[in-house]
Amino acid sequence: MSTLRNLAEEHTRLRPADIDHLHRIAGDWQLLSDLSFADLLLWVPVDADGTFLCVAQVRPTTAPTAYLDDQVGRIVGGPEVAHLEVAHRQGRIWREGDPVWYGDVPARHEAIPVRLRTTDGEAGEVIAVVGRDTNLSTARTPSQLELNYLTTADDLAQMIADGTFPPPRHPGETTSAPRVGDGLVRLDAGGKVTYASPNAQSAYRRLGYASHLVGEDLAALHRRLAGDPLEGTDAANGILAALRGEAPPRREIDARGATMLTRALPLMPAGVPIGALVLVRDITEVRRRDRALITKDATIREIHHRVKNNLQTVAALLRLQARRVSMPEARVALEESVRRVASIALVHETLSMSSDEAVEFDGIVDRVASAATEVAATESTVGMRREGSFGVLPAEVATSLVMVLNELLLNAVEHGFPPAPETTTDRPAPVGPESAGPPEVVVSAHRFRKMLHVSVTDNGRGLPSGFDAERGGNLGLQIVRALVTGELRGTIELRDGAKGGTEATLVVPLARNAPEGRSGG
């Protein structure tokens, strides 16, 4: 389905500013739909012969819809849109006419012109029409709640025609806001409550106000109820700003262990301030969960920080022990253990600074690669290069993968570019053709269908003659195979590179909840 912007740009000559205003209406008109108990359809003129295109639609949550089928993208003309043509041409709200039928559903038509105010604050030309269509199949004598809803809806409809609704959104403000069913309070021009819905009354009772709201000065009440005086003043100032015709940002009020979110909207039909509409929602449970999550996240980060410190302590003890060991083989084994522990500590260090159990893995790879070149005893400097991005990885993948890459990088440096004969150890030296160019190891990564593809390639001497990729290799390669096939549930392949050197390729599933035997891709 095409978006509002796509449809408007394809079929009309509306300016970008006009389309932006239509987007603001579509982002805030659920309020008007619920108050009207009616479907709202946003119609834009296609040409001068009275043809209109529906670019957006919203159904009420407070009443049955008049349209079972989606109307967006529909182009209509002739008598069916005569009411839209009147509202568009004359710039007034159209409410005349008899009910119409959509199949078995009787409906009442209304048409509200949409204006975008000019930069100097004057009412501009009509750029679209909002059709307000009410399902009459369940019509009955309206209650006090419904009468207040409809009265407020008419005021907001007039503000759309004036170009003063919806108000501009404040920077950083999300689309989440109280809805009509959460709680509605209507104020007169003096700030006194003229109506409060049952849900609104209940929300204020949670804050400690047990009396009826009607007749209360809401700004003064917010000052009294708020546990924090500054918060109370802030909430009261928001009410007063709405009464002056401004649109303040949403506020929260905390009192007696409860939290209420409020949104105040000015009511200014025909440019005359007549009061304000205040929507409220009890968000006590939401904020309690937020606080619990913040505490949990802080605890998890502290655990990762302590694990990192403990791993670094273990690495320091192993390093100290390596210095006291006289056997070369034992010293090499301890130094390798130090590097393995340090690579795992890198993951926990990153997790200790993250707000979730995921890590930006590129930085970890770069640090491990740098460490591999520093500790390897080679005749010349080996260059390290990363191609592609690992992106963000879950902690359980990152911990095992960093150990795998640490082993592969060390193997590539030490065995692909061995030291001079007089400094070699008892390890078998690899044989094979020398590769042109300076010594280099390349780590590449890309994602495809929920699979992470990684390769570690060097331009060194290649694999030893007769090397068995499945069973051969030192302890490091045994660790690699165990981690890849076990913890990571992936595959690994070691082979000679196409242009010399050695290439190790990994394929690791990123869907960690995939059952055994499935790739998760």
Side-chain angles (χ1 to χ4, degrees), residues 478-497:
Q478 294 174 23
I479 292 174
V480 166
R481 277 192 291 269
L483 289 173
V484 171
T485 59
E487 295 296 322
L488 297 175
R489 298 200 299 273
T491 60
I492 180 170
E493 182 181 358
L494 290 172
R495 59 176 177 267
D496 289 321

Side-chain angles (χ1 to χ4, degrees), residues 13-177:
R13 297 181 180 179
L14 291 175
R15 301 165 299 177
D18 298 333
I19 298 175
D20 288 341
H21 184 62
L22 297 184
H23 264 293
R24 287 193 295 271
I25 289 177
D28 229 345
W29 68 349
Q30 184 70 59
L31 168 64
L32 178 58
S33 177
D34 290 342
L35 289 171
S36 302
F37 307 99
D39 291 74
L40 301 182
L41 284 72
L42 185 56
W43 298 94
V44 293
V46 175
D47 48 43
D49 65 357
T51 303
F52 286 83
L53 165 69
C54 181
V55 295
Q57 175 184 4
V58 65
R59 293 181 173 89
T61 62
T62 51
T65 180
Y67 299 96
L68 296 179
D69 298 326
D70 190 35
Q71 302 296 303
V72 175
R74 183 174 173 225
I75 299 178
V76 293
E80 188 176 353
V81 294
H83 61 300
L84 304 178
E85 177 65 22
V86 171
H88 182 259
R89 186 177 64 255
Q90 298 181 12
R92 67 176 179 87
I93 298 178
W94 185 93
R95 292 192 175 96
E96 305 91 64
D98 297 325
V100 296
W101 289 82
Y102 296 111
D104 297 331
V105 177
R108 181 177 62 247
H109 271 331
E110 294 179 71
I112 306 165
V114 177
R115 284 187 175 87
L116 173 63
R117 299 188 76 82
T118 61
T119 54
D120 57 4
E122 297 296 326
E125 62 181 5
V126 177
I127 60 174
V129 178
V130 171
R132 182 163 60 168
D133 301 334
T134 306
N135 185 333
L136 299 178
S137 61
T138 57
R140 62 184 186 278
T141 303
S143 64
Q144 183 185 12
L145 178 146
E146 291 169 334
L147 288 173
N148 277 277
Y149 276 21
L150 292 170
T151 300
T152 305
D154 288 341
D155 292 334
L156 294 180
Q158 183 60 53
M159 292 172 66
I160 288 180
D162 299 336
T164 57
F165 183 87
R169 181 162 292 160
H170 295 270
E173 194 168 61
T174 65
T175 56
S176 176

Side-chain angles (χ1 to χ4, degrees), residues 184-398:
L184 178 145
V185 179
R186 178 161 178 141
L187 308 180
D188 61 19
K192 298 292 183 66
V193 177
T194 60
Y195 175 77
S197 71
N199 283 346
Q201 189 73 56
S202 296
Y204 278 92
R205 284 194 177 120
R206 290 292 302 276
L207 296 179
Y209 185 75
S211 302
H212 290 292
L213 285 167
V214 175
E216 280 290 332
D217 183 325
L218 197 64
L221 179 61
H222 283 186
R223 285 196 186 93
R224 297 200 307 270
L225 290 179
D228 184 344
L230 291 178
E231 184 183 86
T233 300
D234 203 30
N237 289 340
I239 300 296
L240 297 175
L243 294 172
R244 294 193 301 267
E246 303 170 14
R250 295 152 200 177
R251 316 278 186 179
E252 291 186 12
I253 301 177
D254 292 289
R256 298 182 60 179
T259 305
M260 186 175 71
L261 176 64
T262 68
R263 183 191 185 192
L265 293 169
L267 294 177
M268 299 178 59
V272 179
I274 63 170
L277 173 67
V278 182
L279 299 173
V280 301
R281 182 170 70 199
D282 182 0
I283 58 170
T284 304
E285 186 63 19
V286 175
R287 289 294 172 260
R288 186 193 66 78
R289 292 177 181 175
D290 288 345
R291 288 190 290 269
L293 286 174
I294 292 173
T295 302
K296 179 181 177 182
D297 288 342
T299 302
I300 291 174
R301 287 198 297 272
E302 177 62 21
I303 291 172
H304 284 301
H305 179 72
R306 295 186 181 186
V307 170
K308 183 262 297 183
N309 289 343
N310 291 339
L311 289 172
Q312 289 178 338
T313 301
V314 171
L317 292 174
L318 291 173
R319 192 177 296 111
L320 181 63
Q321 187 66 38
R323 293 172 183 169
R324 296 174 176 269
V325 171
S326 58
M327 296 178 61
E329 294 85 355
R331 185 181 303 110
V332 170
L334 287 171
E335 289 173 350
E336 288 178 347
S337 298
V338 168
R339 292 193 290 270
R340 289 166 186 148
V341 172
S343 66
I344 300 175
L346 279 179
V347 175
H348 287 281
E349 180 182 2
T350 305
L351 287 169
S352 69
M353 297 180 288
S354 174
S355 59
D356 53 22
E357 287 293 286
V359 294
E360 285 282 357
F361 202 68
D362 290 343
I364 293 177
V365 174
D366 294 342
R367 292 174 66 179
V368 170
S370 176
T373 59
E374 292 174 359
V375 301
T378 60
E379 291 181 306
S380 58
T381 302
V382 179
M384 285 283 182
R385 180 161 54 90
R386 174 172 55 82
E387 295 180 349
S389 175
F390 288 82
V392 178
L393 298 180
E396 63 268 25
V397 174

Side-chain angles (χ1 to χ4, degrees), residues 406-437:
N406 179 64
E407 299 295 337
L408 292 177
L409 289 169
L410 287 172
N411 272 326
V413 173
E414 293 181 352
H415 301 304
F417 313 97
E422 62 270 19
T423 61
T424 56
T425 65
D426 294 335
R427 297 178 180 179
V431 295
E434 296 288 348
S435 298

